[in-house]
Amino acid sequence: MKTFINKYKHAWILLYFFIYMPWFLLLEKHIVTNYTNVATGLDSMIPFCEWFIFPYLLWFAYIAITIAYLFFTSPSDYYKCCAFLFIGMTICLTIYTIWPNGQNLRPATFTRDNFMIDMVKNIYSSDTSTNVCPSIHVFNSIGAHIAISKNERLKKHKGIVMASLILTILISLSTVFLKQHAIFDVVCSIALSIVMYVLVYKVDYAKLRQSIKARKEEPTI
């Protein structure tokens, strides 16, 4: 047991969900009417399409499998992926808290009746149309794809990387075709992803610390 704990001690970072879930659910409960509508005229040009329920729901498995794979195979990539996702998700929750937002794009009635429509109705009933900008669905999908494309093992398999990219694009599209998010939400998620990519994957913090330390040790005249 001690060996197991030492080997997988990096699981501690998953305790973040004990912060995220209560915070998110609290916002979902209290931000229901008084919010900024982020929908634009462009959103009305996008038709509702229930077929996108499949990539939308695949998001849950996509994120979980990506984190699990990195957890067991590459702790360093796992830490980077979690830093990307969890810091970004915290930024999203902070934005929702300071600037309550939502959209009113969901169809009041459906012209078709099938099992996919039923799944969409279930999503609508369990998830409000508030706390949408930036879209965590889109942001996390981008983060998972970056983690996969940066992993030494996975990036050698072009098929996996390409499948990940296609799934990320489909998930992002699903958020607007299912009327779960507005285009503005997606754009903001992409912008946040760029910022987090630079902070997590491009900045050499070891070199930065050495530079700061060297400056502090420079003799003053």
Side-chain angles (χ1 to χ4, degrees), residues 57-71:
L57 293 178
L58 275 175
W59 174 84
F60 296 95
Y62 180 45
I63 303 303
I65 291 173
T66 300
I67 293 176
Y69 177 83
L70 298 177
F71 175 85

Side-chain angles (χ1 to χ4, degrees), residues 36-85:
T36 300
N37 181 11
V38 296
T40 66
L42 289 175
D43 294 295
S44 61
M45 299 172 63
I46 300 175
F48 170 83
C49 180
E50 67 269 26
W51 282 92
F52 278 95
I53 190 64
F54 298 114
Y56 187 86
L57 293 178
L58 275 175
W59 174 84
F60 296 95
Y62 180 45
I63 303 303
I65 291 173
T66 300
I67 293 176
Y69 177 83
L70 298 177
F71 175 85
F72 288 109
T73 64
S74 178
S76 61
D77 286 340
Y78 160 82
Y79 273 122
K80 287 183 179 180
C81 181
C82 287
F84 186 105
L85 299 182

Side-chain angles (χ1 to χ4, degrees), residues 1-138:
M1 180 61 69
K2 184 178 180 180
T3 302
F4 180 86
I5 293 174
N6 287 333
K7 184 176 180 180
Y8 298 113
K9 59 185 177 182
H10 47 287
W12 71 268
I13 200 172
L14 297 178
L15 293 173
Y16 168 76
F17 284 99
F18 288 101
I19 299 174
Y20 172 80
M21 288 307 301
W23 190 357
F24 179 79
L25 292 175
L26 186 65
L27 292 174
E28 285 285 280
K29 181 179 180 181
H30 292 284
I31 301 176
V32 292
T33 54
N34 189 21
Y35 57 83
T36 300
N37 181 11
V38 296
T40 66
L42 289 175
D43 294 295
S44 61
M45 299 172 63
I46 300 175
F48 170 83
C49 180
E50 67 269 26
W51 282 92
F52 278 95
I53 190 64
F54 298 114
Y56 187 86
L57 293 178
L58 275 175
W59 174 84
F60 296 95
Y62 180 45
I63 303 303
I65 291 173
T66 300
I67 293 176
Y69 177 83
L70 298 177
F71 175 85
F72 288 109
T73 64
S74 178
S76 61
D77 286 340
Y78 160 82
Y79 273 122
K80 287 183 179 180
C81 181
C82 287
F84 186 105
L85 299 182
F86 298 169
I87 294 174
M89 289 160 69
T90 301
I91 292 173
C92 289
L93 292 182
T94 302
I95 292 174
Y96 303 158
T97 303
I98 298 174
W99 178 53
N101 59 73
Q103 49 87 1
N104 55 0
L105 299 168
R106 292 178 174 181
T109 58
F110 296 93
T111 58
R112 298 177 294 277
D113 187 16
N114 52 58
F115 76 97
M116 292 176 289
I117 294 291
D118 291 337
M119 288 192 287
V120 172
K121 289 179 180 178
N122 288 331
I123 292 294
Y124 284 1
S125 64
S126 61
D127 184 17
T128 70
S129 59
T130 58
N131 307 311
V132 295
C133 183
S135 166
I136 291 177
H137 235 72
V138 174

